[in-house]
Amino acid sequence: MIFMSAQRPLDVLNRALGSSVLVSLKGGRELRGKLSGFDVHVNLVLEDAEELHGNESVKRYGTMIIRGDSVVFISPAG
Amino acid sequence: MIFMSAQRPLDVLNRALGSSVLVSLKGGRELRGKLSGFDVHVNLVLEDAEELHGNESVKRYGTMIIRGDSVVFISPAG
Amino acid sequence: MIFMSAQRPLDVLNRALGSSVLVSLKGGRELRGKLSGFDVHVNLVLEDAEELHGNESVKRYGTMIIRGDSVVFISPAG
Amino acid sequence: MIFMSAQRPLDVLNRALGSSVLVSLKGGRELRGKLSGFDVHVNLVLEDAEELHGNESVKRYGTMIIRGDSVVFISPAG
Amino acid sequence: MIFMSAQRPLDVLNRALGSSVLVSLKGGRELRGKLSGFDVHVNLVLEDAEELHGNESVKRYGTMIIRGDSVVFISPAG
Amino acid sequence: MIFMSAQRPLDVLNRALGSSVLVSLKGGRELRGKLSGFDVHVNLVLEDAEELHGNESVKRYGTMIIRGDSVVFISPAG
Amino acid sequence: MIFMSAQRPLDVLNRALGSSVLVSLKGGRELRGKLSGFDVHVNLVLEDAEELHGNESVKRYGTMIIRGDSVVFISPAG
């Protein structure tokens, strides 16, 4: 087994600052945008945010503050 | 990679004071109004609030206090 | 841009004491009554409360204590 | 405007001790009984409790402890 | 009006120790058993627990630990 | 009435360590496995875990960490 | 009865670092990936994450941060 040091979830978010992320919300909505901020509650700030259905953009929002409580997962590779 | 300093979510809200914001609520309701206040729980005060279906206004409310617990996201560009 | 000082959500509630408010609850129920008290959890006391369907009163309750956890928004102009 | 001093929600509950109250629960169930106790979490004790459909009693329970987390509102006039 | 001293919800639970109780859960399930323990979170221990549909027993469980978070109400008269 | 000393819920869980338990989750899923650990949040560790439909095993998982927040009840006799 | 020392849930997660885990989310979604980090809230970091329907991969995500609040269970053997 290869030794692996653990990554803290908020450190991984921190490294994603300035990159595009996919955000999956409770209830199934998906958003995509450039992560420009977050806090310890996993509240997020996205720039150039858009809502996705499947992989298609269906609505554009500009800046968006997302409450952490609504977030299921965040994928920086999105 | 371009260096980016993180924006704190509440600072982004603070800059939106006095501007029109779109508020998406749990369960899918959407509200729009002028953000005139908020607190650390993301409780919000909107003025000239209206409820939207799609992009159309379906009801007008005047002043409105929204509990942060019901908020999914807030978009100042809305 | 016009300068705007922020209003705290609980201060806005405080100014609504003695006035009629519309209260929207999780799950879609709507109540209306005279706001006669509240606390920091946004627990509310209404007098002459009534439940609304659309804009019509469908049930009258007298005094009512509403748990803040069930509240989506409160509109003093209601 | 008439001056009004605010009533605290728990004080209103306290005055309802010994009286019949209507309790509306998350999910739509309604209970009625004599309020014989409560605590700061709005956990309630009812005596001679009964479940209502519309205004009709459909089941009798005797004493009942209700968790505050399930309570939407309490109406002493019920 | 008759004077009534308030009963604390956990004191009422305490008096029910050793007796049969009906427990109503979020989502509508009903359990019945002998209450043999609880804590401040209203986590419960039942002995000879059974699940009910209407008033009929549909499944027997022996000892059961119920998380308080899932409990809607507890009726010692059940 | 027989005197009964109360059992604390976490003590009952502690006595179930090493035994097979049935775990009922929010949303209706049922799991069964050997309880090999837990903490104060009622997070659980099961070994040789399997998911049940009715009383039949439909999927095997090996070790499983269950978040307490998803647990409705745990029955050591399962 | 064989003596068994309890395993703490977070210790079991810690031993799974670097291994493939199956993560079951509220609402029924299932994810699989290599666990590369977690914190006390059971927020998780997965690498090479994919979403599963049944046992088939339906979408690939790369790195993913999952909020603990959405997690039902984690199975290192998945």
Side-chain angles (χ1 to χ4, degrees):
Chain A
M1 197 184 93
I2 298 159
F3 177 79
M4 159 161 272
S5 64
Q7 305 182 83
R8 288 180 297 185
L10 294 188
D11 287 347
V12 177
L13 263 187
N14 199 53
R15 285 202 302 273
L17 282 169
S19 304
S20 177
V21 298
L22 182 75
V23 180
S24 179
L25 300 180
K26 290 180 184 169
R29 294 172 81 176
E30 285 199 325
L31 301 165
R32 186 168 55 192
K34 189 172 72 170
L35 183 67
S36 68
F38 68 90
D39 62 22
V40 294
H41 307 293
V42 195
N43 295 321
L44 306 172
V45 184
L46 297 188
E47 304 289 343
D48 301 323
E50 54 191 349
E51 183 157 7
L52 305 177
H53 283 188
N55 289 317
E56 281 184 54
S57 172
V58 295
K59 193 166 176 186
R60 301 188 171 275
Y61 288 95
T63 300
M64 180 187 277
I65 300 114
I66 306 174
R67 281 188 70 247
D69 178 51
S70 292
V71 173
V72 175
F73 64 76
I74 305 144
S75 181
Chain B
M1 197 185 94
I2 298 159
F3 176 79
M4 160 162 272
S5 65
Q7 305 182 83
R8 288 181 296 184
L10 295 188
D11 287 347
V12 177
L13 263 187
N14 200 53
R15 286 202 301 274
L17 281 169
S19 304
S20 176
V21 297
L22 182 75
V23 180
S24 179
L25 300 180
K26 290 180 185 168
R29 294 172 80 175
E30 286 199 325
L31 301 165
R32 187 168 55 192
K34 190 173 72 170
L35 183 67
S36 69
F38 68 91
D39 62 23
V40 294
H41 308 292
V42 195
N43 295 321
L44 307 172
V45 183
L46 298 188
E47 303 290 343
D48 301 323
E50 53 191 351
E51 184 156 7
L52 305 177
H53 283 187
N55 290 317
E56 280 185 53
S57 172
V58 296
K59 194 166 176 186
R60 301 188 170 275
Y61 287 96
T63 299
M64 179 186 277
I65 300 113
I66 306 174
R67 281 189 70 247
D69 179 51
S70 292
V71 173
V72 175
F73 64 76
I74 304 144
S75 180
Chain C
M1 198 185 93
I2 297 159
F3 177 79
M4 160 163 271
S5 64
Q7 306 181 84
R8 288 181 296 185
L10 294 188
D11 287 347
V12 176
L13 263 187
N14 199 53
R15 285 202 302 272
L17 282 170
S19 303
S20 176
V21 297
L22 183 74
V23 181
S24 180
L25 301 180
K26 289 180 185 168
R29 295 172 79 175
E30 285 200 325
L31 301 165
R32 188 169 54 192
K34 190 173 72 171
L35 184 67
S36 69
F38 67 91
D39 62 23
V40 293
H41 307 293
V42 194
N43 295 321
L44 306 173
V45 183
L46 298 188
E47 304 290 343
D48 300 323
E50 54 190 350
E51 184 156 6
L52 305 178
H53 284 186
N55 289 317
E56 280 185 56
S57 173
V58 295
K59 193 165 177 187
R60 302 190 169 274
Y61 288 94
T63 299
M64 178 186 278
I65 300 113
I66 305 174
R67 281 189 70 246
D69 178 51
S70 292
V71 172
V72 175
F73 64 76
I74 304 143
S75 180
Chain D
M1 198 184 94
I2 296 159
F3 177 80
M4 159 161 272
S5 64
Q7 306 181 84
R8 288 180 296 184
L10 295 187
D11 287 347
V12 177
L13 264 186
N14 199 53
R15 286 202 302 273
L17 282 169
S19 303
S20 176
V21 297
L22 182 74
V23 181
S24 180
L25 300 180
K26 289 179 185 170
R29 295 172 78 175
E30 286 200 325
L31 301 165
R32 187 169 53 192
K34 189 172 72 171
L35 183 68
S36 69
F38 67 91
D39 61 24
V40 292
H41 307 292
V42 194
N43 295 321
L44 306 173
V45 184
L46 298 189
E47 304 289 344
D48 301 323
E50 54 191 350
E51 184 156 6
L52 305 177
H53 284 186
N55 290 316
E56 281 184 55
S57 173
V58 295
K59 192 165 178 187
R60 301 188 170 275
Y61 287 95
T63 300
M64 178 186 278
I65 299 113
I66 305 174
R67 281 189 70 248
D69 178 52
S70 292
V71 172
V72 176
F73 64 76
I74 305 143
S75 181
Chain E
M1 196 185 97
I2 297 159
F3 177 80
M4 159 160 273
S5 63
Q7 306 181 83
R8 288 182 296 185
L10 295 187
D11 287 347
V12 177
L13 264 187
N14 200 53
R15 285 202 303 272
L17 282 169
S19 303
S20 176
V21 297
L22 182 74
V23 180
S24 180
L25 301 180
K26 289 180 185 170
R29 294 172 79 175
E30 285 200 325
L31 301 165
R32 187 169 53 192
K34 189 172 72 170
L35 183 69
S36 69
F38 67 91
D39 62 23
V40 292
H41 307 292
V42 194
N43 295 321
L44 306 173
V45 183
L46 297 189
E47 305 288 343
D48 301 324
E50 54 191 349
E51 184 156 7
L52 305 177
H53 284 187
N55 290 317
E56 282 185 54
S57 173
V58 295
K59 192 164 177 186
R60 300 188 171 275
Y61 287 95
T63 300
M64 179 186 277
I65 299 114
I66 305 174
R67 281 188 71 247
D69 178 52
S70 292
V71 173
V72 175
F73 64 76
I74 305 143
S75 181
Chain F
M1 198 185 94
I2 297 159
F3 177 79
M4 159 161 273
S5 63
Q7 306 182 82
R8 289 182 295 184
L10 295 187
D11 288 347
V12 176
L13 264 187
N14 200 52
R15 285 202 303 273
L17 282 170
S19 303
S20 176
V21 297
L22 183 74
V23 180
S24 179
L25 300 180
K26 289 180 185 169
R29 295 172 78 176
E30 285 199 326
L31 301 165
R32 186 169 54 191
K34 189 172 73 171
L35 182 68
S36 69
F38 67 91
D39 62 24
V40 293
H41 307 292
V42 194
N43 295 321
L44 306 173
V45 183
L46 298 188
E47 305 288 344
D48 300 323
E50 55 191 349
E51 184 156 6
L52 305 177
H53 283 188
N55 290 318
E56 282 185 54
S57 173
V58 294
K59 192 165 177 186
R60 300 187 172 276
Y61 288 95
T63 300
M64 179 186 278
I65 299 113
I66 306 173
R67 281 189 71 247
D69 178 52
S70 291
V71 173
V72 176
F73 65 75
I74 305 144
S75 181
Chain G
M1 198 185 93
I2 298 159
F3 177 79
M4 158 161 274
S5 64
Q7 305 182 82
R8 288 180 296 184
L10 295 187
D11 287 347
V12 176
L13 263 187
N14 199 53
R15 285 203 303 273
L17 282 169
S19 304
S20 176
V21 298
L22 183 74
V23 180
S24 180
L25 300 180
K26 289 180 184 169
R29 294 172 80 177
E30 285 199 326
L31 301 165
R32 186 168 55 191
K34 189 172 72 170
L35 183 67
S36 69
F38 68 91
D39 62 23
V40 294
H41 306 292
V42 195
N43 295 322
L44 306 173
V45 184
L46 297 188
E47 304 288 343
D48 301 323
E50 54 191 350
E51 184 157 6
L52 305 177
H53 283 189
N55 290 317
E56 282 185 53
S57 173
V58 295
K59 193 165 176 187
R60 300 188 171 275
Y61 288 95
T63 300
M64 179 186 277
I65 300 114
I66 306 173
R67 282 188 70 247
D69 178 51
S70 292
V71 173
V72 176
F73 64 76
I74 305 144
S75 181

